[in-house]
Amino acid sequence: MKNIICSLLFILPVLLWGKEIAVTTPQELEKAVKNAAPGDKIIIDNTSPWKDVKLKVSGKGNKEHPILITTADNQALFIEGISSLSIGGEYLHIRNFYFRRGQAPDKYLIRFRTSQDNLANHCTIENFVIDHYNKPHRFDNDNWVVLYGKHNTVTKCTFDGKINSGPMLIVEIEDEKSQQNFHTIRHNHFKNRYRLGSNGGETMRFGVSRYSIYDSNTQLIDNYFEHCSGETEIVSIKSGSNYIARNVFWECEGSIVLRHGDHNVVDGNLFDGNFKKETGGIRIVNSGHTIKNNTLKNLRGKGFRAPLAIMNGVPNSLINRYMPVKDVEIFDNTFVDSEILVFGAGNDNERSVAPQNITFRDNSFVHYPKEWYINTNDGGIIFQNNKFTDQYTNKAMPSDRFGSSLAVRKQVDGSIKPVKHLVTDAAHLQQYLDDAHANDTLLLQLNHTHISLKEPLKINKPIALIATQPYTFVSNSFKSMPAFILITNGGSLHIANFHFLGTFESYGNVGAGISTDKAGVLQSYQLTVKNCTFTDFNESSFAGIKAEKSSFADSLIVKNCFFYNISGTGIAFNAEKEDKGIYNVENALIQDCIFSNILGSAIDIYRGGNDESTTGPFVEIYHCTFNEVDNKEQGAAIRLIGPQFIRFAYNNIYQSGQGGRSIECREFRYHDIKIENSNFYETGKIDTFYPHNIGKNTALLPALIPYSKLNKKLPQSFNKNKTIGSHELL
């Protein structure tokens, strides 16, 4: 009898609270969840990755006894290829999925519904990893996690490396089944949301403007955001009554933005920019918000990315524009060694309604100047009992407290060091490039002056290509080539001491010296070009250096280069022409270069439209000479359409842009532009919308000297006795 009682006591919990079910395949998992009872535990016992699976799991647990879906020994279930997960039903708790080496099949990777009618409620994903699970093209939009239904939770997950368009996580509130949802997002690690160069690079978004009058009631608490810099809005709030608390933002180029919706609370968050440019804090639109107990330190964002920016509103605003800001409480926040605050950000002819009834009290400022804010309006802000001090106790929050236990903490392998490879045979240069490791240097030392190519060299890793003396790239293919060097996905290039000759004997034309792949480049790249010459690119669409659509350079540096006899453009980063705020380069530095006898523009950098979700491009042009460049009717020697930061100084522009403009800009009033300390002789006008962007310049006849005295690397065939107006003699 005693043995019978013991046996009953052993099996009673299983009978009452569910059983364990082992599965090994996606099909078995879906069937097991469908047939599971409350309290069942489904264990995935499989050591092989699942590939190209579209999982749909739907079942019904209850509050006391959810259905648990986990893995044997809490190991990672790797999911690869073109895969997705849809969750429906109630009280499902899923653990330990790891998405890698693949992409979502359509607009979502993980979705909390299996159909329009079967939403997830009270469901949880825990200890997930999504690692660089990107579509192959930058503007193929998708979202990694989409929350529908109510009372769902995302916890202890790591989301790492989103490159393409679309937030990592969104909360949908498109109908009453998903409004007032009380979702919880906590203890996660969001990292490496890379710059997109366009709108659509948020890390997460709650709601959309269309439904922003409805409350979401989502809690975003105790998460770590690291290098989330896709665009201005890191967390984009477009709904009401959300609670954003105790999160850490480390070196993130952007802000929490209360874009639409009322009565949101931002409480106890830590923003640490570590003095990186464009790192921001909190931006406020709409009414009834509470901003309290936050620490904002070492932030270097300005304007919309200021540590605190309160927007001006639009009179009778449409729901998708800027509702006036009013009745906001801001108190007990600490601002440490950061940029000044902005009250009335975006004040212009459209956004003319000042913030109203904003209480700003009991806030502390550490290491701040007397001029600690800008108010673009009169009144509207009530200041009370704010304090200034030099005393501050540093707060730090290690990232390893957050995210999934499955995430690999990537360490730099110190055993793999960059290597220099001596190349003496140009015929196998592509093989050398393929065999090299990332960050290696190929040092060319050839016994001939020409490098003949039948197809472009492809760069698919960070690499340096250095010539010991000037070698000339030429084509020996009767077919045209897009470029001598193509930067493909994963590639970055540092190149020095080469001549790119676009037309050679009777061989086919070459479209550019250096270009990106026309198929698109998913990852951002860096390009540095020094002591190079680009000549004889003889079509209007050709260029010395160019970027194709769907490519984005984090950094472009061109120094001591010479662009001559080009029918197209010298440097062309102008491929995104849809006027949607998309652009091809974030930071461009062009210095000590000569542009001469160019039919098109010497430099053409384009960012069209009026989108305000990014801050680039940043363009700096110093100590350059422009000689006989784009003298066509209504031409422009330098075309800078839309860069939000321009420094043009110590340059000489001579007999250029005579049919139209020496420089053409299309800027907004908040752009930071200075054109100064340069010489314009027999040139077209400087065309800017705001004349105050033009500083002190001269219009003097420069000394005309032969090219041979410029100390530039020129091709042997060049007439070095030809004269040019040199800024170096001004």
Side-chain angles (χ1 to χ4, degrees):
M1 185 67 178
K2 184 177 180 181
N3 290 336
I4 294 173
I5 293 173
C6 289
S7 298
L8 288 173
L9 290 173
F10 178 77
I11 65 172
L12 188 60
V14 176
L15 294 173
L16 293 178
W17 300 313
K19 57 186 179 297
E20 288 191 358
I21 305 166
V23 299
T24 59
T25 68
Q27 295 78 16
E28 289 177 358
L29 174 62
E30 291 179 349
K31 183 178 179 180
V33 177
K34 180 179 179 180
N35 296 326
D40 281 356
K41 182 178 181 180
I42 300 169
I43 300 175
I44 304 168
D45 190 1
N46 183 17
T47 58
S48 300
W50 289 358
K51 190 170 184 179
D52 299 329
V53 294
K54 295 182 180 179
L55 289 169
K56 287 189 176 182
V57 295
S58 182
K60 284 196 174 183
N62 58 43
K63 183 177 181 179
E64 291 76 19
H65 306 296
I67 296 170
L68 177 62
I69 303 165
T70 188
T71 56
D73 300 321
N74 284 319
Q75 297 300 305
L77 171 65
F78 292 110
I79 300 177
E80 301 175 350
I82 301 176
S83 298
S84 62
L85 168 64
S86 297
I87 305 166
E90 297 180 357
Y91 293 100
L92 303 182
H93 192 134
I94 309 174
R95 294 177 180 163
N96 305 328
F97 284 22
Y98 195 123
F99 291 85
R100 66 178 188 181
R101 301 174 187 170
Q103 67 181 75
D106 43 40
K107 296 296 184 183
Y108 71 91
L109 177 59
I110 300 171
R111 184 172 64 171
F112 279 68
R113 74 179 186 190
T114 59
S115 68
Q116 293 279 357
D117 300 320
N118 186 26
L119 279 61
N121 295 288
H122 301 282
C123 292
T124 297
I125 62 171
E126 179 183 359
N127 207 36
F128 275 40
V129 176
I130 304 177
D131 184 2
H132 290 78
Y133 214 76
N134 293 293
K135 290 181 177 292
H137 299 290
R138 295 181 65 81
F139 297 109
D140 282 351
N141 185 289
D142 70 352
N143 311 110
W144 281 357
V145 178
V146 184
L147 287 162
Y148 293 92
K150 297 187 178 184
H151 299 283
N152 295 310
T153 299
V154 178
T155 185
K156 298 179 182 177
C157 298
T158 296
F159 304 97
D160 184 5
K162 195 166 198 304
I163 301 173
N164 63 305
S165 178
M168 286 180 168
L169 182 150
I170 63 176
V171 175
E172 291 286 14
I173 59 167
E174 60 191 34
D175 58 34
E176 62 183 12
K177 291 184 290 186
S178 295
Q179 293 161 6
Q180 298 183 35
N181 53 66
F182 296 94
H183 297 317
T184 300
I185 303 161
R186 67 186 178 201
H187 298 144
N188 302 290
H189 191 178
F190 299 90
K191 60 188 296 190
N192 299 323
R193 195 347 172 175
Y194 299 104
R195 290 188 191 122
L196 183 63
S198 168
N199 189 14
E202 305 97 329
T203 301
M204 63 178 61
R205 170 172 55 79
F206 297 174
V208 293
S209 59
R210 179 180 177 183
Y211 301 108
S212 59
I213 61 173
Y214 299 104
D215 288 343
S216 181
N217 299 100
T218 297
Q219 293 190 80
L220 178 67
I221 53 176
D222 298 308
N223 300 282
Y224 197 96
F225 294 81
E226 179 180 4
H227 300 147
C228 291
S229 303
E231 59 145 272
T232 296
E233 300 181 14
I234 303 169
V235 178
S236 180
I237 302 298
K238 297 183 176 180
S239 53
S241 298
N242 298 288
Y243 184 60
I244 305 161
R246 303 187 302 276
N247 302 286
V248 179
F249 295 83
W250 170 255
E251 292 186 354
C252 294
E253 297 175 8
S255 306
I256 292 175
V257 180
L258 308 182
R259 184 64 183 85
H260 302 293
D262 300 327
H263 305 294
N264 293 292
V265 177
V266 182
D267 179 11
N269 301 280
L270 171 62
F271 302 80
D272 190 341
N274 196 28
F275 307 104
K276 304 294 184 182
K277 77 172 187 177
E278 303 305 323
T279 49
I282 303 164
R283 179 155 61 99
I284 301 171
V285 190
N286 283 67
S287 303
H289 305 304
T290 300
I291 314 298
K292 62 180 180 178
N293 302 319
N294 301 284
T295 299
L296 305 100
K297 67 175 186 176
N298 308 332
L299 302 174
R300 289 298 177 262
K302 300 178 181 180
F304 285 13
R305 296 194 191 191
L308 178 71
I310 301 178
M311 297 292 296
N312 260 33
V314 175
N316 302 311
S317 176
L318 298 174
I319 196 169
N320 66 335
R321 288 303 290 154
Y322 288 85
M323 295 290 184
V325 182
K326 59 183 179 180
D327 304 327
V328 174
E329 292 274 342
I330 304 170
F331 59 92
D332 291 336
N333 301 285
T334 302
F335 299 86
V336 183
D337 199 4
S338 295
E339 290 290 339
I340 61 176
L341 284 56
V342 181
F343 303 122
N347 188 345
D348 57 19
N349 292 327
E350 181 199 22
R351 289 177 293 222
S352 59
V353 179
Q356 301 173 24
N357 193 31
I358 310 301
T359 301
F360 191 88
R361 63 175 174 83
D362 299 306
N363 299 288
S364 298
F365 292 85
V366 183
H367 301 144
Y368 255 80
K370 291 182 179 179
E371 303 295 329
W372 56 273
Y373 73 90
I374 297 173
N375 191 351
T376 66
N377 307 284
D378 295 326
I381 314 296
I382 303 167
F383 297 102
Q384 297 175 349
N385 197 33
N386 298 294
K387 301 174 286 294
F388 294 82
T389 179
D390 290 332
Q391 303 299 316
Y392 172 71
T393 302
N394 190 47
K395 297 179 181 179
M397 189 70 70
S399 63
D400 57 8
R401 298 183 186 180
F402 302 84
S404 171
S405 64
L406 305 175
V408 177
R409 305 295 175 186
K410 296 181 175 66
Q411 302 291 332
V412 176
D413 188 348
S415 65
I416 301 177
K417 298 184 182 297
V419 174
K420 288 185 178 180
H421 306 272
L422 184 64
V423 178
T424 58
D425 181 9
H428 297 95
L429 185 52
Q430 183 65 63
Q431 190 63 52
Y432 279 101
L433 290 167
D434 293 340
D435 292 343
H437 291 103
N439 302 309
D440 282 359
T441 296
L442 301 188
L443 190 65
L444 273 69
Q445 188 171 341
L446 310 176
N447 58 9
H448 47 81
T449 59
H450 284 50
I451 301 172
S452 300
L453 299 178
K454 287 187 177 296
E455 57 185 28
L457 297 173
K458 294 182 178 179
I459 308 297
N460 62 4
K461 61 179 73 74
I463 204 82
L465 195 59
I466 310 295
T468 56
Q469 59 179 318
Y471 298 115
T472 300
F473 282 107
V474 297
S475 171
N476 67 347
S477 171
F478 289 104
K479 296 181 179 180
S480 61
M481 286 197 300
F484 288 112
I485 296 177
L486 283 180
I487 296 175
T488 64
N489 195 40
S492 285
L493 178 64
H494 181 119
I495 188 168
N497 306 330
F498 289 93
H499 174 209
F500 296 85
L501 182 59
T503 303
F504 180 65
E505 296 181 352
S506 60
Y507 293 108
N509 285 328
V510 182
I514 304 169
S515 180
T516 58
D517 192 346
K518 279 190 175 182
V521 179
L522 174 64
Q523 295 174 263
S524 60
Y525 66 96
Q526 297 180 347
L527 174 60
T528 298
V529 186
K530 295 183 177 180
N531 303 319
C532 289
T533 302
F534 300 83
T535 64
D536 299 286
F537 293 93
N538 292 337
E539 296 288 346
S540 61
S541 60
F542 292 179
I545 304 170
K546 70 185 299 187
E548 297 286 357
K549 284 180 64 64
S550 295
S551 67
F552 183 72
D554 265 333
S555 171
L556 168 69
I557 298 173
V558 184
K559 289 187 175 181
N560 202 38
C561 290
F562 178 50
F563 299 80
Y564 173 75
N565 196 29
I566 295 174
S567 298
T569 308
I571 299 173
F573 280 68
N574 60 350
E576 306 290 356
K577 293 293 180 64
E578 289 79 8
D579 291 347
K580 296 180 179 179
I582 304 172
Y583 53 101
N584 291 117
V585 58
E586 184 74 10
N587 300 288
L589 172 62
I590 302 165
Q591 184 174 328
D592 295 313
C593 294
I594 294 174
F595 301 85
S596 183
N597 196 24
I598 297 177
L599 189 60
S601 298
I603 302 166
D604 191 341
I605 297 175
Y606 190 90
R607 175 189 181 272
N610 57 4
D611 179 74
E612 297 173 328
S613 60
T614 58
T615 58
F618 295 80
V619 179
E620 298 176 80
I621 304 171
Y622 304 120
H623 296 289
C624 291
T625 295
F626 302 87
N627 184 79
E628 297 180 7
V629 175
D630 199 352
N631 285 317
K632 302 188 305 296
E633 187 72 18
Q634 298 189 16
I638 301 104
R639 194 182 301 271
L640 304 174
I641 307 298
Q644 300 184 72
F645 178 94
I646 297 173
R647 291 294 182 269
F648 186 91
Y650 310 109
N651 301 293
N652 185 60
I653 304 89
Y654 174 62
Q655 293 183 344
S656 296
Q658 291 177 321
R661 311 162 184 88
S662 55
I663 301 177
E664 180 183 10
C665 297
R666 287 290 179 270
E667 75 273 34
F668 290 87
R669 69 174 65 194
Y670 55 85
H671 291 176
D672 186 355
I673 295 174
K674 292 182 180 178
I675 301 169
E676 59 188 359
N677 299 322
S678 294
N679 187 58
F680 296 82
Y681 185 78
E682 294 184 354
T683 69
K685 64 181 179 180
I686 302 173
D687 187 1
T688 69
F689 198 76
Y690 295 97
H692 66 261
N693 291 329
I694 304 173
K696 184 178 180 180
N697 297 287
T698 58
L700 304 175
L701 174 65
L704 300 180
I705 63 171
Y707 279 94
S708 57
K709 292 187 178 181
L710 291 178
N711 193 28
K712 303 290 183 183
K713 294 184 181 298
L714 303 173
Q716 292 182 353
S717 60
F718 186 75
N719 179 6
K720 297 181 181 179
N721 292 319
K722 181 179 174 66
T723 58
I724 186 171
S726 171
H727 74 274
E728 297 174 7
L729 296 185
L730 288 177

